[in-house]
Structures are given as C-alpha cells and as structure tokens.
Amino acid sequence: MLWAAAGVVTLGFLVALEFAARHYGLRGPLTNQAREVIFAPSSGPLLYAGLALLMVVLTWRQRLIAAGAAIGVDLVFLLVRWLAGAQLSFGNGALWVVLGCAVLAVTRRTGQERALLLKGVGLALLLVAGHKTGDTWLLITSKTRPQVLDQYVATADHALGNPSWLVGRLVEASGPIGSHGLHLVYGQLPLAAALVGLYQLRHVAAERRFPAHHLVRTFLVIGLLGPAVYMIFPVVGPVFAYGADGGHWATADLWPHTMPPIGVPHAIPFDEITPRNCMPSLHTAWAMTLFIHSRKGSRAMRFAGAFWLVATLTATLGFGYHYGSDLVAGVVFALTVEAAMRAFARGWDRSGVRFVAYGATVFTALLVAYRWLPRQMADLPWLFGPLLIVAMGSVIFFYVRTTKPWDAQPVPAPLPGPRSGQHDSPDSQAAEPQPEPA
C-alpha cells in the first residue's frame, strides 16, 4: 500500500507539472521523457546512468544482455538518423531496455523477483524524470517570479565578506585551465553521485534487496524539495544580478571586481528566462550528501568525495552562480533532508525527530534573516558573520551526534535465498522474503 500510494502521489505531481509547463507553451517532464523513446534524447548519458542503476538488480549475464541490447538499439537509431541527416544522439536504447524490463517484470516475474525488478526500473526512471522535473521547475520559477530578491541576499552576504566576489577573482586569476577544470567538476556532479550510488548498491543482485538507505534516494528528494524553496525565495545569482551575464536586467556590472554597495535592498524585476535557482544552493546540498555517503567507501572514494565537495563549493562561488549565504543554507538543507531520509529508513526515534525539527528551524531562520534583516547583517558583520557560521556548524555537529548511533547499529544479515548466479532465467519465480524499500 505504501508503494502504491507513493506511486500515485508521484504520478499526480508529474501530471501537475506537465499541465503547468503546457500552460506556458512548453512540453513537461512526462512528454519529454516519452518523446525519447523515438526522438533524439537530450540526456543520453543520464539515460545510461539510469540503466546502470537498474542493472544492480540483474545478474552479470543479464547485465551483459541488457547492455548489448541497449547499444544495439542505439546503433540502429544512429544509422537511421545518419541516413536521414538528422541530429545524432544516443540513449534511446537504454530507455528501451528499461521499459522492456518493466514489461518483463509484469508479464514474466512474480513475487519478490517482480518487486525487485520493478523497483530497479522505478529507480532508473526516477533518475531521468527527476532531471526533467527539475528543468520544468526552473521554467516555472522564471515564468511565475518576475521579481528576484538578489539585493537582499547580496546585502546579507556582507556579513560573510562577499565570498562570491573574492572566489570569482581567484578563479579568474587561475586562467582557463582552472576554470575548465571547475566547470568539468561542476557539470559532472550527477555522474559522481551515480558512481557512489552504484558502489552502495553493488550487492543488491546477490542479496536480492536494496539497502534501507542510499545516496540516490536523498539525491532525488533534494532535487524534488529544493525548487519549492526557489518559488518562495527567487534569486538568480551574482553573475546575473550584478554581472555582465544579466544584460540590461542586471543592477550593475559589478561582479567580481567591485563589491556591491550597502543600501536599502528591494526586489528587482528580471527576465523570464533565467531560472531563480540559487536559494538554497542545491549543488552544495548534493555535493554535501555525496561527501557524506562517500565516507564509508574506499580511500580513493573518500578522497574523491572530499575533492568534489571542495571543488563544487569553489565553482558555485567562483562562477558567480551563488552567494555565500546560498551555500550556508544549502549545507543546512542537505543535512536536514539526509537525516530525514535516514530516519525514514531506520525508524523515527526521538533523536531523529529532534534533529530534523532543529535543521528545519535553522533553515527557516536563515531565510527569514536574509529577507528581513539583510541591512542589519551588513552593518554588523562581526556579529552576524560568526552567527551564520555557528548556526551552520551547530547543524553539522548535531547531525554527527544524531547519526553516529545509527551508523553503529549492526547491518542486517542478507536474506536467505539463491545467489545471483541462479537467477539468469527470466522465468525465475522463486518465493523469497520481501525486499527492503528501494
């Protein structure tokens, strides 16, 4: 019943976004994903990342068959597009295999095997749908929020020393090599998350169940909830509001060489194209959860997680995409969502409830301060700057205190049943215990 209710709610949400996008004359997430069955996909690597997530429930033989089928279908599509002189792209094959596995689960599997395969399919489709849902959310923010609150955040950011201006000059001084490297890290954050997620899910095929908690779930929930805050607190970022990228909509061309003046902030009108996707910084939130989940990996993975977090923070500030205040809010937002997902998987105890309530309170207080106390924050940086750091640090401290007992709990033993080598047949109908939620 829980999974059925979750499916109905998700479908209703996607349908609502579809209608919202149609209202503005554009295709919504459902239409965009359905078109990629035949038409040239706009997210080929993402479709194959979804297929890779699905493969965690398959045996090695089934994985080879699925990968071969996906590549074969894509080669046929590429040949047809090349002969027709159309745009060359890939990814249709991956989507065909995912949908084919859904049909196989419904028609040829039963019981635990059907549930496991359907959860793998759902995880793959949610990864792609989450990306397209985010695109639709960003469209809605630009169309429905004609005014932005950048002046409020830029004024409040004086309490932190306007880090975006400082890091922006450092990135500019690093030359094209440093800039291109940061762009690569910034743009490939989903790929890094997929790799960590695959590492966490590597035993699903053998144990015939998903772990109770993993990175992909938190990643998707952050992407779902974050844009709702964009609607409440629309901000475009310093490179647009105070830089050349904003064109005639920019308050002035100040970023990154001239600090913004301290005045009386007010909402400013902006175009209907630029997404209002700064508060909170979801790239910071995603990188923070990637860092958290990489802590239990190998030394190389732990190093990569720390590197990706530092590089992402540098890029978000250095490219002028975010203010320092966005990053503070992003860290608090990430830890609150991560703790909520852990508590949901392990059971809501008193410590989990208290932390989620505390994190939500701190996050709300940050938004209220940025909106209603920016001038005071700018006039008293020696007071409000440390307060912001202490607020964020307290959430980090209590998160560690809260989740440490959870991590110390023993991991449940694998469920009994055949191992991966005994599930090559699509007609396998072995009756096994129900898997953990994906």
Side-chain angles (χ1 to χ4, degrees):
M1 290 298 295
L2 178 62
W3 279 99
V8 171
V9 171
T10 301
L11 179 61
F13 176 72
L14 292 174
V15 170
L17 283 181
E18 184 74 28
F19 277 105
R22 292 287 179 175
H23 176 73
Y24 295 106
L26 296 175
R27 293 188 296 267
L30 292 176
T31 304
N32 282 329
Q33 189 157 350
R35 282 174 54 88
E36 292 185 346
V37 175
I38 300 296
F39 295 97
S42 60
S43 53
L46 190 66
L47 287 168
Y48 270 92
L51 176 60
L53 287 177
L54 165 63
M55 286 183 178
V56 301
V57 307
L58 305 179
T59 66
W60 278 108
R61 177 175 176 270
Q62 292 166 344
R63 291 169 187 171
L64 292 175
I65 294 174
I71 294 173
V73 171
D74 265 330
L75 289 176
V76 173
F77 270 95
L78 285 172
L79 178 61
V80 172
R81 287 174 182 140
W82 178 70
L83 293 175
Q87 174 188 355
L88 297 181
S89 62
F90 68 97
N92 302 90
L95 184 57
W96 277 41
V97 171
V98 171
L99 297 177
C101 286
V103 174
L104 177 66
V106 173
T107 60
R108 303 293 297 276
R109 298 286 180 91
T110 59
Q112 188 260 356
E113 285 296 306
R114 172 185 288 177
L116 189 68
L117 186 54
L118 284 177
K119 287 177 182 178
V121 170
L123 197 62
L125 292 178
L126 277 175
L127 182 69
V128 182
H131 177 75
K132 297 187 181 303
T133 298
D135 291 342
T136 303
W137 262 120
L138 297 183
L139 165 70
I140 293 173
T141 64
S142 63
K143 297 294 185 181
T144 62
R145 295 297 180 267
Q147 293 188 322
V148 297
L149 304 178
D150 281 76
Q151 286 195 7
Y152 291 90
V153 184
T155 302
D157 229 36
H158 280 277
L160 296 172
N162 295 104
S164 181
W165 271 254
L166 174 61
V167 180
R169 291 196 294 270
L170 292 175
V171 171
E172 187 178 69
S174 68
I177 296 179
S179 178
H180 290 323
L182 287 176
H183 268 295
L184 180 63
V185 171
Y186 189 84
Q188 295 305 318
L189 181 60
L191 176 60
L195 293 176
V196 175
L198 288 173
Y199 177 83
Q200 291 181 323
L201 301 175
R202 66 193 184 281
H203 297 309
V204 169
E207 297 180 356
R208 314 311 298 161
R209 65 174 182 182
F210 281 87
H213 177 59
H214 53 84
L215 172 64
V216 180
R217 291 174 51 151
T218 304
F219 222 77
L220 291 171
V221 172
I222 286 176
L224 175 66
L225 298 179
V229 186
Y230 296 162
M231 301 291 289
I232 301 171
F233 210 113
V235 179
V236 293
V239 73
F240 297 104
Y242 292 95
D245 288 10
H248 70 278
W249 294 99
T251 300
D253 189 1
L254 302 177
W255 188 88
H257 298 289
T258 305
M259 292 290 185
I262 299 177
V264 179
H266 59 274
I268 58 174
F270 217 79
D271 62 33
E272 295 185 357
I273 300 174
T274 307
R276 282 61 163 152
N277 61 338
C278 286
M279 182 62 71
S281 169
L282 293 195
H283 265 80
T284 298
W286 282 321
M288 189 70 187
T289 57
L290 178 65
F291 172 80
I292 292 170
H293 284 265
S294 66
R295 294 305 88 196
K296 290 188 176 181
S298 63
R299 177 178 297 181
M301 180 170 291
R302 294 196 302 270
F303 173 79
F307 167 78
W308 229 275
L309 175 61
V310 173
T312 299
L313 296 179
T314 304
T316 56
L317 293 173
F319 295 144
Y321 297 150
H322 289 282
Y323 303 90
S325 302
D326 304 338
L327 273 61
V328 172
V331 170
V332 175
F333 182 74
L335 295 179
T336 304
V337 174
E338 169 67 14
M341 296 303 294
R342 286 194 179 206
F344 179 78
R346 296 177 178 268
W348 286 93
D349 57 11
R350 180 178 298 179
S351 62
V353 172
R354 285 189 302 187
F355 176 80
V356 172
Y358 178 72
T361 301
V362 172
F363 181 73
T364 303
L366 289 174
L367 297 185
V368 171
Y370 298 157
R371 177 61 178 84
W372 301 108
L373 299 173
R375 182 62 184 269
Q376 291 84 344
M377 296 174 70
D379 291 338
L380 300 172
W382 57 268
L383 173 62
F384 284 96
L387 280 178
L388 289 176
I389 301 302
V390 168
M392 181 180 68
S394 69
V395 174
I396 296 174
F397 174 78
F398 285 118
Y399 172 82
V400 174
R401 287 283 302 273
T402 300
T403 57
K404 192 173 182 179
W406 293 349
D407 293 336
Q409 294 176 4
V411 178
L415 294 177
R419 308 304 279 180
S420 59
Q422 301 177 9
H423 290 274
D424 290 348
S425 172
D427 297 317
S428 173
Q429 298 181 3
E432 300 179 27
Q434 190 69 16
E436 296 287 341

